[in-house]
Amino acid sequence: MALPVSLAYSFTPGIISKQAFFSFIVLPIGFITLFRVKKILIFYTWVILILSFVFTFVYMGGHRHAGFLLIALIFSLWLKKYYEINEKSEPIYESLFEYILSFLKDSEKILNVVITISLIISIRYSYQESLKDIRYSFSNAKEVADFMSSNNIDNENSIVSAFGADRGKTVLFYLRNIKKFYYPGFDSFGSHMLWNKAMVSGEQLGHQAAIKKTMEKFSKEDNLFFLSDKKISTETKGSELIYNTKLRNEFIKDEEFYLYRIKP
């Protein structure tokens, strides 16, 4: 499912609906258009295969990731024009009807129209998202980190258990004294996170199980905290919610943060 969504993101950013079928006609037309120049076709095919592999098996492309497909297509067309620069100019058509027939037969002209539509959508979406970037927070990691710093939690004596792991690392970047979080999904401390099978399996632990595991492992610690990207619906005995981020988060919806004080 990741690859089809990435394709929709590539050519119709901000439109995830039945209208996004438009995205799935672009790649075939691109291959047909570039077929005349072998070198460019190989280049374009290689780029598409690599990006498709990444979106399918590594990480699903969001708007800012999947756009490389559109960039690759435009760059390939630019290279194609370079190779064809010495060829004869386009024929002059005697009538509008004849021109329309030639247009339907010429995949490059169709592709140019499709890319133009895609770029118009992209410009509109970029303007919309740029305004949000100015007005609102991209992630609330700094907000919770500022709270930890101003309340003397960011110190070497504190132990912070973070779940999910890939979100916790964004908070760690803003802290001065705490260098590592404890990740209950892996039962280990760490500063960064690899997006691999181990991380995915670690996330399956669940928030309730993660907080209980933290309490059991550090039962004798006084300065113990649990940082979560989701509010725990039923608070575990011994846990107290001391802060949740309040800034409007317009981009990464799962980078809201909830900080719990743990008293085993």
Side-chain angles (χ1 to χ4, degrees), residues 131-147:
L131 289 180
K132 291 180 182 179
D133 196 22
I134 294 170
R135 296 174 181 172
Y136 309 116
S137 174
F138 182 84
S139 165
N140 287 347
K142 187 177 185 301
E143 181 188 349
V144 71
D146 288 343
F147 174 84

Side-chain angles (χ1 to χ4, degrees), residues 8-34:
Y9 280 162
S10 299
F11 303 106
T12 53
I15 301 176
I16 304 299
S17 66
K18 292 180 180 179
Q19 299 174 24
F21 79 92
F22 168 85
S23 302
F24 304 106
I25 68 172
V26 179
L27 287 182
I29 298 175
F31 282 112
I32 293 170
T33 302
L34 299 173

Side-chain angles (χ1 to χ4, degrees), residues 210-248:
I211 197 170
K212 289 180 180 179
K213 186 173 181 178
T214 300
M215 295 175 72
E216 292 172 359
K217 186 173 181 66
F218 302 101
S219 58
K220 297 181 180 180
E221 297 291 337
D222 294 327
N223 256 7
L224 182 60
F225 301 89
F226 184 78
L227 180 66
S228 172
D229 59 351
K230 291 183 176 63
K231 186 175 182 180
I232 301 172
S233 56
T234 304
E235 290 188 23
T236 304
K237 185 178 180 181
S239 67
E240 175 192 2
L241 178 64
I242 59 174
Y243 190 77
N244 64 279
T245 51
K246 299 174 176 60
L247 292 177
R248 177 174 172 178

Side-chain angles (χ1 to χ4, degrees), residues 90-96 98-103 106 109:
E90 301 218 359
I92 299 173
Y93 301 100
E94 297 180 356
S95 68
L96 178 62
E98 186 180 355
Y99 178 79
I100 293 173
L101 288 178
S102 68
F103 178 88
D106 192 333
K109 289 181 179 178

Side-chain angles (χ1 to χ4, degrees), residues 26-50:
V26 179
L27 287 182
I29 298 175
F31 282 112
I32 293 170
T33 302
L34 299 173
F35 187 78
R36 300 171 187 171
V37 184
K38 184 179 179 181
K39 291 181 180 179
I40 308 304
L41 178 64
I42 293 173
F43 166 78
Y44 180 65
T45 303
W46 176 252
V47 172
I48 296 302
L49 287 175
I50 291 296

